[in-house]
Amino acid sequence: MRRLFHYPLCAFSRIVRFIISEKHLDCELIYQVPWEPFEELFEYNLLGSIPLLADISGIFIHGNSAIREYLEETYPEISLINGDFQQRAEARRIADWFAFTFYWDVYLPIVDEKIFKRFSKAVNKSPEPGKVRSAGTKLSTHMEYIAWLADRRNWLAGKEFSIADIYAASFISVLDYLGIITWNKYEIAKGWYAKVKSRPGFRGILGDNLPQVPPSAEYSNPDF
Amino acid sequence: MRRLFHYPLCAFSRIVRFIISEKHLDCELIYQVPWEPFEELFEYNLLGSIPLLADISGIFIHGNSAIREYLEETYPEISLINGDFQQRAEARRIADWFAFTFYWDVYLPIVDEKIFKRFSKAVNKSPEPGKVRSAGTKLSTHMEYIAWLADRRNWLAGKEFSIADIYAASFISVLDYLGIITWNKYEIAKGWYAKVKSRPGFRGILGDNLPQVPPSAEYSNPDF
């Protein structure tokens, strides 16, 4: 059986879950908090970090673009990096944008404050409300960028649903789970996210519910 | 003619130059400092950031994994993401490691201090020596990881030279240009880097010489 070591509120874990689900692949999800790496994970990938995919062939894949490209190469029947060269590059460009710029500008400061500082023993615990405020300001710019794309295209990278939507939705959905996103400020981005929410492949993610960190009121609601 | 908008001391630009050169592709390099984006770049990629590749087909590619995967898909004759699924995933995993963890742990704090603060008007100018010291400490850990890989494998990801070596060498070479790396502390990593330095595809990068920031004494020396 395929297995994914993941943490529900880790955007990179969500990306893999979303891809796997869109490709109709079975997968056993193994809950793993990111701040307490399993020794088992250390052995597999030296770094002990999640997500880690153990595929049915017995191989272990670790790393953001490594897992994504592996799944696309191995299971191309339902393609999530689709279209011509320009289209595929556009999907990857937007994926990079979220994995890199959005991650550091917005996602990490918020998740660090709301999750890591609360549960992890390893990180510095002093609250930094300024960091969350500054991340919130940057969030607006990114939501406007999503709106700019969604206003001109069917999905973020073009006509077809792709990893661009998967990356964006995986990051945004963690922040939405935490109640960070004021959707009525972002009508166009909200329209795009409503479409993502209605995809069967996203259902598992919308079903997440951690006892210690319950989701925001509208998190799983299709009419939010 | 193929064109690359790049900055010599930008590791992501170096990755693209190195890939292009290893694949024996012609390319005109267009010098572009990262802190003063061309309007031309804004038009092409909305973000105005480098590197930006304008390929001969007339398409523009932007973004770390987007350019890399585009070049591999379009010019597969000399493959830099090679071998079986596991091998390719390993090359991408290591590439991700440098583009993400090494970038934020080591590269950015140092380049920010040594380059951006000196030349860019946009960033906060106050020197933060503590940031560079902490990055230097983390550099040791990463160099040990390179040694761990280089000790067990012909190249970082396995038997063949790959994007793993290209990413690692592109980041390391910027720090080496700035004179940050005390090579006699890292004998095994040094052995690997000497092999990279001897590759014809790396010659262009070793020839970099910015008038305002001259390279360190041993930067281009094969016997360093």
Side-chain angles (χ1 to χ4, degrees):
Chain A
M1 180 63 158
R2 187 176 292 110
R3 291 178 303 154
L4 178 71
F5 297 83
H6 85 117
Y7 178 65
L9 299 183
C10 157
F12 289 110
S13 297
R14 286 181 169 217
I15 289 166
V16 183
R17 289 166 67 197
F18 202 175
I19 291 175
I20 282 176
S21 181
E22 286 285 332
K23 287 182 180 281
H24 302 316
L25 304 171
D26 290 327
C27 189
E28 182 189 351
L29 296 177
I30 301 171
Y31 179 93
Q32 172 60 42
V33 297
W35 51 86
E36 285 169 14
F38 266 154
E39 274 184 37
E40 187 184 11
L41 289 188
F42 270 111
E43 191 182 317
Y44 290 151
N45 66 15
L46 298 173
L47 310 167
S49 66
I50 54 159
L52 173 72
L53 178 69
D55 205 6
I56 39 175
S57 57
I59 81 171
F60 290 88
I61 315 279
H62 174 257
N64 154 35
S65 79
I67 299 182
R68 170 189 94 204
E69 299 292 332
Y70 167 79
L71 288 170
E72 186 69 13
E73 286 177 355
T74 315
Y75 307 102
E77 295 75 16
I78 295 173
S79 172
L80 298 168
I81 309 176
N82 38 45
D84 61 16
F85 285 120
Q86 181 78 81
Q87 277 287 302
R88 290 203 295 280
E90 179 65 356
R92 288 187 178 112
R93 179 186 72 78
I94 295 171
D96 282 348
W97 179 259
F98 280 92
F100 203 76
T101 311
F102 188 90
Y103 177 88
W104 292 98
D105 274 2
V106 182
Y107 175 85
L108 185 63
I110 291 171
V111 169
D112 193 34
E113 202 64 28
K114 304 273 180 192
I115 304 288
F116 284 12
K117 282 198 181 168
R118 198 169 146 202
F119 296 108
S120 162
K121 289 189 187 99
V123 297
N124 166 22
K125 293 266 187 189
S126 55
E128 293 167 274
K131 223 170 71 174
V132 173
R133 262 199 308 277
S134 143
T137 309
K138 287 176 184 164
L139 171 65
S140 298
T141 314
H142 287 278
M143 294 303 268
E144 281 161 28
Y145 186 49
I146 289 178
W148 191 94
L149 296 168
D151 209 23
R152 283 159 181 77
R153 300 164 173 185
N154 194 24
W155 291 99
L156 293 189
K159 225 163 78 181
E160 305 291 339
F161 179 82
S162 77
I163 53 161
D165 304 285
I166 287 181
Y167 272 62
S170 296
F171 280 96
I172 299 261
S173 66
V174 172
L175 303 185
D176 191 40
Y177 186 104
L178 297 172
I180 297 292
I181 301 185
T182 317
W183 283 108
N184 61 15
K185 278 172 63 186
Y186 310 113
E187 275 307 319
I188 300 171
K190 184 179 170 178
W192 160 80
Y193 191 59
K195 276 174 30 182
V196 173
K197 272 184 147 179
S198 72
R199 292 187 77 89
F202 201 56
R203 260 184 224 145
I205 288 169
L206 290 183
D208 281 346
N209 195 330
L210 292 178
Q212 324 91 306
V213 196
S216 60
E218 303 295 327
Y219 171 69
S220 62
N221 186 355
D223 302 314
F224 54 114
Chain B
M1 180 63 158
R2 186 176 292 111
R3 293 178 301 154
L4 179 71
F5 297 83
H6 85 118
Y7 178 64
L9 299 184
C10 157
F12 288 109
S13 297
R14 286 181 170 217
I15 289 165
V16 183
R17 290 166 65 198
F18 201 176
I19 291 175
I20 282 176
S21 180
E22 285 285 333
K23 285 180 179 282
H24 302 315
L25 304 171
D26 289 327
C27 189
E28 182 189 350
L29 295 177
I30 300 171
Y31 178 93
Q32 172 61 41
V33 296
W35 51 87
E36 286 170 11
F38 267 153
E39 275 185 35
E40 188 185 9
L41 289 189
F42 270 111
E43 193 182 315
Y44 290 151
N45 65 17
L46 299 173
L47 311 166
S49 66
I50 55 162
L52 173 71
L53 178 69
D55 205 6
I56 39 174
S57 58
I59 82 169
F60 291 88
I61 314 279
H62 175 259
N64 153 37
S65 79
I67 299 182
R68 170 189 94 203
E69 299 293 333
Y70 167 79
L71 288 170
E72 186 69 12
E73 287 178 355
T74 316
Y75 307 103
E77 294 77 15
I78 295 172
S79 172
L80 298 167
I81 308 175
N82 38 47
D84 62 14
F85 286 119
Q86 181 78 79
Q87 278 287 300
R88 289 203 297 281
E90 180 65 357
R92 289 188 179 110
R93 179 186 74 78
I94 295 170
D96 282 349
W97 179 259
F98 280 92
F100 202 77
T101 311
F102 189 90
Y103 176 89
W104 292 98
D105 274 1
V106 182
Y107 175 86
L108 185 64
I110 290 171
V111 169
D112 193 35
E113 203 66 26
K114 304 273 180 192
I115 304 287
F116 284 12
K117 283 197 181 169
R118 197 168 147 204
F119 296 108
S120 161
K121 288 186 186 101
V123 295
N124 167 21
K125 293 267 186 186
S126 54
E128 292 168 274
K131 224 169 70 173
V132 173
R133 262 200 309 277
S134 143
T137 309
K138 288 176 184 165
L139 171 65
S140 299
T141 314
H142 287 279
M143 294 303 267
E144 280 160 30
Y145 186 48
I146 289 177
W148 192 93
L149 295 169
D151 208 24
R152 284 159 179 78
R153 299 165 174 186
N154 195 22
W155 292 98
L156 294 190
K159 224 164 78 178
E160 305 291 339
F161 179 83
S162 76
I163 54 162
D165 305 285
I166 287 182
Y167 271 63
S170 296
F171 280 96
I172 299 268
S173 67
V174 172
L175 303 185
D176 191 39
Y177 186 105
L178 297 172
I180 297 293
I181 301 185
T182 316
W183 283 109
N184 62 16
K185 277 172 63 186
Y186 310 113
E187 276 307 318
I188 300 171
K190 185 179 170 177
W192 160 79
Y193 192 59
K195 275 173 34 180
V196 173
K197 271 185 148 179
S198 73
R199 291 186 78 87
F202 201 56
R203 260 183 223 147
I205 287 169
L206 291 181
D208 281 345
N209 195 329
L210 292 179
Q212 324 91 303
V213 195
S216 61
E218 304 295 328
Y219 172 68
S220 61
N221 186 356
D223 303 313
F224 54 113

